[in-house]
Amino acid sequence: MAARGGRRGSRLPSALERARLETTERPRAWAPDVAAQAGLPASAGLGPATYFADLAAPHGRRHVRVCTATACFAARGGRHVREAEDALGVRAGDVDAQGHTSLQPVHCLGYCYASPAALDGDTPCTGHDLAEQLSGRLRPRAPAVPAEDTTGEPVLLAGVVGGAPGWEVWPRAVRGLEPGAVRQEVAASGLRGRGGAGFPVAAKWAAVVGSSEPVVVANGDEGDPGSYADRLLMEEDPERVLEGLALACYAVGARHAVVLVRSEYPRASARMEHAVQRAVRDGHLAADAHEADPHGRCPYIEIVLGAGSYVAGEETALIARLEGARGSARPRPPYPTDRGLWGAPTVVNNVETLAAVPWIVRHGGAAYARRGVPDETGTKLVCLSERFARPGAYEVELGTPVSEVVTRYGSGLKGGRDLAALQIGGPLGGFLAADALDVPLTSAALADHGAALGHAGMVAFDADTDPRELLCHLWEFAADESCGACSPCRVGTSRGLEWARGGSPPDGAYERLAGLLREASLCAFGRRVPAAVRSLARACAPELAGWDR
């Protein structure tokens, strides 16, 4: 593996991406040569090139990515994909005979509030007339993310809707606070990771303090269909994200940090790159690793693009991606805080998590802890999908009832349609029935109802959605995005998809398979699949009888 062959593997991702742009051939025709030029075996190039969707998919001179994720599915029942195929004259997953146009199906482009969506090169197109935009009959259209604070004092949206500039906290912190004081405020705040796992941030930071050359990674690989909070923050307030990342570096003594941004977010990566350049000019960040302060007072931050993989958002898979390997989950222990990127102790924090740190350091951990609920403090960005009357990103206090988010902030569904089911926390988060929304927006409360908070994206389904098609959609996502590192998930998701497409309720064999997925999968992806299916079956009973096991 490139990741085990020394840092030569770090050159692979960008080299493979450059090679992909120069050819319409499949990876076997070019990936081995790329690896050889880096002094690595052919397998080091073929591994990631055949794993990551952006590298493995056929590419024409015009490359279009069409979203097939949950919010886009809910908007048109998946019909927009066939319409895009007709408009472009090419099947999804293929390139035309002339090598001119290719169409790649992807899972989420972060335009869930304006679904369905596609990226024509780096140009976004959204809306029910998507096919007309792709055919050139209409101009591309992509509205900005509607964002609103509901708390009265935004933490995460302080710059987006409050106009608060970034980098105000950082100079005072490095001059007037010791790293331990920053960690103490974050510990007092009770801040937990906002990427889905909900691990206490201060505990993760403490695990690398005193280590030699720790690294901090900002996870911007927001892959949960239905969520676009990280995209919003990176595009509209990248300075706050970078300031939070710099404070994390200072708190743990890291001179080097990496931000991994999804390739499906080209504008976000460009905005983050420009924000880094401005911060270097202003003296907040180092221009390169050699100039970085060894104690994190002026860290070096680099921006790296993902390459199309949902599981690569899991922290060990993300590290594998950064090292030039396949983005598959790795067994733990060792944990990244012990042995992470290139063997260094590594802290991985989600973008939204880091965006909360400047407010905490400025106002104090106790002030943040008074918000939300005692065991799950603070605020959260909740993203509502296109089916809502008022889709957009809302900053709410944790503990806010889901029903309030749906009816008060989202104003129910468009056209006064009835809600059939609500997906929360991404495809593997879970589903709530329309009459089961009186639950607080917390990880613990949602878990009691068979769902998960995750990124807190909410995708609404109305009566036009066939529950059986939605079940197949869920299993298709699981089978497509399984990294294949463990057989319970690799085989189990494929078998579940076969049963779902068969149309008949599963027998006892499915119950055994679900148990295997829950107990033996390597990471949370496989372990969450049965729970997501079960919650969907309960929300859509009796149509999905037999799947609630």
Side-chain angles (χ1 to χ4, degrees):
M1 287 172 54
R4 302 297 182 229
R7 295 207 178 198
R8 288 175 297 173
S10 65
R11 300 195 297 268
L12 264 182
S14 57
L16 290 169
E17 286 149 18
R18 288 194 300 271
R20 170 76 282 177
L21 294 174
E22 296 169 359
T23 180
T24 60
E25 297 288 334
R26 303 278 181 165
R28 291 190 179 278
W30 50 268
D33 290 339
V34 174
Q37 291 168 13
L40 295 164
S43 59
L46 281 170
T50 56
Y51 173 85
F52 289 103
D54 291 351
L55 301 175
H59 276 53
R61 292 181 292 280
R62 178 190 182 190
H63 187 62
V64 178
R65 287 174 282 183
V66 61
C67 182
T68 64
T70 318
C72 289
F73 172 82
R76 295 295 310 281
R79 294 188 300 277
H80 68 287
V81 177
R82 295 189 295 273
E83 293 165 354
E85 291 176 331
D86 293 340
L88 297 171
V90 62
R91 303 292 294 176
D94 208 348
V95 60
D96 63 23
Q98 296 76 33
H100 178 267
T101 304
S102 52
L103 183 62
Q104 177 189 349
V106 299
H107 291 132
C108 202
L109 295 172
Y111 289 90
C112 315
Y113 58 93
S115 301
L119 278 177
D120 189 351
D122 286 345
T123 301
C125 306
T126 67
H128 284 212
D129 54 6
L130 177 66
E132 284 72 22
Q133 295 175 53
L134 293 175
S135 67
R137 292 192 291 271
L138 293 176
R139 293 175 61 85
R141 183 178 67 256
V145 178
E148 182 178 323
D149 171 58
T150 72
T151 70
E153 185 179 1
V155 174
L156 301 163
L157 296 180
V160 177
V161 302
W167 294 112
E168 282 197 328
V169 176
W170 169 252
R172 292 197 294 269
V174 294
R175 286 196 302 266
L177 293 176
E178 292 296 321
V182 175
R183 297 196 303 272
Q184 184 176 357
E185 294 298 343
V186 172
S189 76
L191 178 67
R192 291 178 175 268
R194 298 299 191 230
F199 194 80
V201 173
K204 186 178 282 190
W205 288 5
V208 303
V209 172
S211 302
S212 175
E213 296 291 330
V215 177
V216 181
V217 175
N219 186 352
D221 196 7
E222 177 186 44
D224 276 351
S227 178
Y228 41 90
D230 290 356
R231 184 190 139 226
L232 170 66
L233 291 170
M234 289 188 288
E235 289 186 1
E236 302 303 329
D237 199 4
E239 290 81 9
R240 196 163 314 279
V241 175
L242 292 174
E243 185 177 25
L245 179 55
L247 287 165
C249 289
Y250 180 59
V252 303
R255 63 188 298 167
H256 180 210
V258 180
V259 184
L260 186 123
V261 184
R262 303 183 71 219
S263 65
E264 295 89 345
Y265 290 175
R267 185 169 182 265
S269 63
R271 292 298 304 275
M272 291 292 287
E273 286 278 10
H274 293 156
V276 166
Q277 293 168 10
R278 288 194 299 271
V280 170
R281 289 197 301 268
D282 293 342
H284 302 311
L285 300 178
D288 56 45
H290 300 293
E291 292 184 8
D293 179 85
H295 304 292
R297 291 185 177 88
C298 188
Y300 167 59
I301 296 178
E302 59 178 318
I303 310 298
V304 178
L305 277 179
S309 168
Y310 178 82
V311 172
E314 190 273 339
E315 60 180 12
T316 64
L318 182 151
I319 288 169
R321 157 66 181 168
L322 293 175
E323 291 177 338
R326 294 166 67 92
S328 299
R330 293 173 175 172
R332 291 180 290 184
Y335 293 91
T337 50
D338 296 320
R339 182 176 175 82
L341 185 62
W342 303 113
T346 303
V347 168
V348 181
N349 286 145
N350 162 262
V351 160
E352 185 179 334
T353 308
L354 293 167
V357 172
W359 193 97
I360 292 170
V361 174
R362 179 174 186 172
H363 297 275
Y368 188 85
R370 287 193 292 270
R371 310 182 71 167
V373 294
D375 292 332
E376 297 187 44
T377 61
T379 67
K380 182 80 183 73
L381 284 179
V382 177
C383 297
L384 303 186
S385 70
E386 175 269 350
R387 291 285 82 191
F388 285 93
R390 297 181 65 234
Y394 296 85
E395 183 166 1
V396 303
E397 301 238 352
L398 284 169
T400 300
V402 172
S403 57
E404 182 175 353
V405 176
V406 170
T407 59
R408 180 179 177 186
Y409 306 132
S411 296
L413 270 57
K414 286 182 176 177
R417 297 181 67 85
D418 291 333
L419 178 70
L422 180 74
Q423 183 190 76
I424 183 168
L428 304 182
F431 295 79
L432 298 175
D435 59 357
L437 303 184
D438 192 20
V439 52
L441 188 72
T442 65
S443 296
L446 288 167
D448 289 341
H449 286 73
L453 180 63
H455 270 91
M458 294 187 185
V459 179
F461 298 91
D462 57 31
D464 287 344
T465 302
D466 184 334
R468 298 172 191 81
E469 291 183 1
L470 181 54
L471 176 69
C472 287
H473 174 81
L474 177 57
W475 278 111
E476 285 167 0
F477 175 87
D480 285 348
E481 293 291 356
S482 173
C483 76
C486 67
S487 56
C489 183
R490 181 180 66 251
V491 177
T493 53
S494 297
R495 187 72 181 104
L497 178 57
E498 290 175 9
W499 276 325
R501 286 174 172 168
S504 58
D507 55 18
Y510 173 68
E511 190 168 358
R512 293 191 293 274
L513 177 69
L516 186 65
L517 278 164
R518 283 192 297 267
E519 300 298 328
S521 294
L522 183 60
C523 75
F525 182 88
R527 294 195 293 268
R528 279 295 310 170
V529 172
V533 171
R534 184 170 61 249
S535 69
L536 174 61
R538 292 174 177 174
C540 296
E543 290 90 338
L544 299 181
W547 288 96
D548 53 347
R549 304 178 184 185

